[in-house]
Amino acid sequence: MEFRGRAEGKEETMKPIETLVRDNVKNLKPCVHGAEVLGAAEESGFKPEAILDFSSSVNPLGPSKKSLEAAKKAFSVIAAYPDSNSNELRQVIASHFGKITKRNIIVGNGSTELMYLFAEVFMKKGDKALIPAPTFGEYESAVCKTGEIPRFAKLNKDFQVETATFEREMAGAKLVFLCNPNNPTSKLIPQETLTDIIEKALSQDTLVFLDEDFLEFVEEEKDLTMIGNIKKYPNLFILRSFTKIFGLTGLRVGYGIANPEIIDVLSCAKIPWNVNCLAQAAAVAALKDEEHLQVTHALIKKEKAWLQGELSKFGSFKFSEPDANFFFINIQKSGLTAAELKNKLLKQGILIRDCTSFKGIDEFYVRIAVKTHVENERLIDALRRTVKVV
Ligand SMILES: Cc1ncc(COP(=O)(O)O)c(C=O)c1O
């Protein structure tokens, strides 16, 4: 279509914009996510604040008060540019984990920024990237934006990475993405599998992008994280976020941990001032507020057990014990598709994630986050009104 505009009384024409777009971004499609509360409000007639959002698996208590106070205090420095390299935050992250320094850390505008940056920096024309299916959709989008089409390795029937299949598919790959624990399946990758894959990848110069955004919800986080192994594995990049357990979701802060060789190149390629001053200040305070983390862990543990008991009473729900703070449930026996269950619950002011948009699964899976007790009770009541407890 030809565009006509008017400049100083003259009619100007120009080529259709689509003809000016680089080929590799022409066919990009936005990734589908949970937490679409505004759309759900419009659809259901509920006010956004009246909708209970079980589709987004973040801290049900929200951020720590201390982090909010720090963000408020940082309003006084809004007139200045933020520290482009998030130095204080990187220092605090390094001290939090120990054994790493701020040279091992890059901070992003949400951890999603770092997925795109990583793919942009390392994917050359013709390079191969491997992604398990199902998993978080932005890895695929990040690869597609570089102009390459990723390959997918389907998880097995228990939603686990099949080491032999994955390693076979990994041959010749420049980059593999792994998510531990995985979204949407809520399953940890066994340590042996993870180590096998990272070592195999190292032996063939394949980079491993390991997303540990949900690992902070897992009790054995300290034993399971690969952060302590970055020296041993120069091909490893570990992703973390302030979106999930820290609840700073709307501020957009995440970070990556790797050897300085990787961090330096990413830091040079990132956009300047990528993380605003409120986000940096809030994240520093959030990481120091151990009490809020402890309270959150205790709540999640108790509520996850309660929800598991209640959800198990629905004979038509099939799920295994979640490793993360969300349940991944096959509802096929209920006679409803995920979209139908989502719609029926939305009419009662409850939003769950219909997982149909995830690659590699059918239309019968939903994802439900663990929230506070009162909220979880509302979910179960709504489910009882909607699905038979057999
Ligand atoms: C596994 C996983 N990684 C990363 C993200 C994005 O996190 P952030 O808000 O830090 O960009 C999400 C968001 O849902 C996710 O599920």
Side-chain angles (χ1 to χ4, degrees):
M1 207 175 71
E2 201 174 66
F3 175 77
R4 286 169 198 280
R6 210 175 265 281
E8 292 171 15
K10 269 197 286 171
E11 280 228 321
E12 300 280 357
T13 59
M14 103 177 253
K15 277 181 174 178
I17 291 294
E18 68 207 44
T19 63
L20 306 178
V21 176
R22 280 170 60 193
D23 286 342
N24 55 320
V25 292
K26 255 183 194 161
N27 298 315
L28 293 182
K29 300 261 180 328
C31 183
V32 178
H33 292 292
E36 291 157 341
V37 176
L38 292 180
E42 215 164 278
E43 205 179 300
S44 64
F46 282 99
K47 288 201 170 115
E49 57 276 17
I51 292 180
L52 276 189
D53 182 12
F54 284 85
S55 74
S56 171
S57 309
V58 300
N59 189 332
L61 300 174
S64 93
K65 287 205 173 63
K66 287 180 185 163
S67 71
L68 291 182
E69 278 156 22
K72 269 189 212 151
K73 220 167 138 201
F75 268 91
S76 62
V77 295
I78 278 183
Y81 278 102
D83 173 4
S84 192
N85 291 315
S86 304
N87 279 290
E88 185 189 359
L89 177 54
R90 283 163 57 225
Q91 187 55 58
V92 172
I93 294 168
S95 311
H96 175 78
F97 289 109
K99 292 193 189 149
I100 54 169
T101 74
K102 68 181 181 146
R103 285 208 61 206
N104 297 113
I105 300 161
I106 180 167
V107 180
N109 194 283
S111 64
T112 303
E113 183 193 13
L114 300 176
M115 292 166 202
Y116 281 79
L117 181 64
F118 201 87
E120 184 192 359
V121 162
F122 290 109
M123 289 292 292
K124 294 184 191 167
K125 197 167 168 36
D127 276 348
K128 196 172 117 183
L130 183 65
I131 302 176
T135 194
F136 185 53
E138 293 293 350
Y139 312 140
E140 176 183 359
S141 301
V143 172
C144 289
K145 201 171 165 201
T146 70
E148 303 306 316
I149 311 286
R151 256 199 221 179
F152 292 92
K154 206 166 179 309
L155 299 179
N156 69 17
K157 64 175 184 16
D158 300 319
F159 295 107
Q160 283 296 354
V161 174
E162 201 62 75
T163 314
T165 317
F166 197 84
E167 290 187 354
R168 205 172 40 247
E169 292 288 330
M170 191 168 75
K174 165 64 87 60
L175 171 56
V176 302
F177 288 88
L178 290 171
C179 188
N180 192 37
N182 190 36
N183 173 11
T185 59
S186 205
K187 284 279 141 210
L188 282 163
I189 304 171
Q191 287 297 96
E192 205 185 320
T193 307
L194 201 50
T195 311
D196 263 6
I197 291 174
I198 297 169
E199 287 181 358
K200 176 82 177 177
L202 182 61
S203 74
Q204 58 176 51
D205 299 324
T206 300
L207 294 162
V208 177
F209 187 101
L210 177 62
D211 184 338
E212 290 189 352
D213 277 10
F214 283 107
L215 196 60
E216 276 143 331
F217 285 103
V218 178
E219 246 177 89
E220 306 81 20
E221 179 212 346
K222 298 223 158 35
D223 298 328
L224 299 179
T225 180
M226 282 286 156
I227 291 173
N229 291 326
I230 52 165
K231 281 207 181 75
K232 190 166 155 201
Y233 301 131
N235 59 331
L236 180 62
F237 179 87
I238 297 165
L239 192 73
R240 289 286 181 121
S241 181
F242 284 94
T243 287
K244 310 292 180 193
I245 201 152
F246 295 101
L248 295 176
T249 318
L251 278 179
R252 314 300 304 131
V253 213
Y255 57 99
I257 298 180
N259 276 315
E261 289 76 11
I262 291 182
I263 297 298
D264 289 349
V265 68
L266 294 173
S267 302
C268 291
K270 80 172 181 65
I271 60 161
W273 312 297
N274 56 330
V275 183
N276 72 69
C277 58
L278 307 184
Q280 290 188 38
V284 165
L287 212 48
K288 290 179 179 170
D289 190 350
E290 282 181 19
E291 198 189 331
H292 186 65
L293 284 182
Q294 275 167 16
V295 173
T296 303
H297 279 133
L299 174 86
I300 297 289
K301 188 174 178 184
K302 190 157 164 247
E303 287 308 313
K304 195 159 100 171
W306 185 81
L307 262 184
Q308 171 138 2
E310 293 301 311
L311 290 168
S312 307
K313 293 177 188 163
F314 293 84
S316 56
F317 288 176
K318 199 173 136 215
F319 62 95
S320 61
E321 192 178 334
D323 289 320
N325 58 323
F326 50 88
F327 287 80
F328 178 62
I329 308 172
N330 182 315
I331 61 158
Q332 183 161 17
K333 283 197 177 148
S334 71
L336 298 171
T337 63
E340 286 164 349
L341 180 60
K342 178 185 166 185
N343 287 336
K344 282 174 187 287
L345 290 175
L346 190 54
K347 291 200 173 90
Q348 302 169 64
I350 285 178
L351 181 60
I352 61 166
R353 175 72 153 102
D354 161 10
C355 292
T356 311
S357 64
F358 284 90
K359 254 200 178 63
I361 46 177
D362 62 25
E363 69 274 36
F364 296 108
Y365 288 88
V366 297
R367 195 189 65 206
I368 293 177
V370 177
K371 291 177 75 74
T372 63
H373 192 64
V374 175
E375 293 169 324
N376 294 336
E377 276 183 330
R378 269 196 56 194
L379 168 78
I380 296 297
D381 287 347
L383 281 172
R384 282 210 190 101
R385 284 191 290 268
T386 314
V387 181
K388 263 196 235 141
V389 183
V390 210

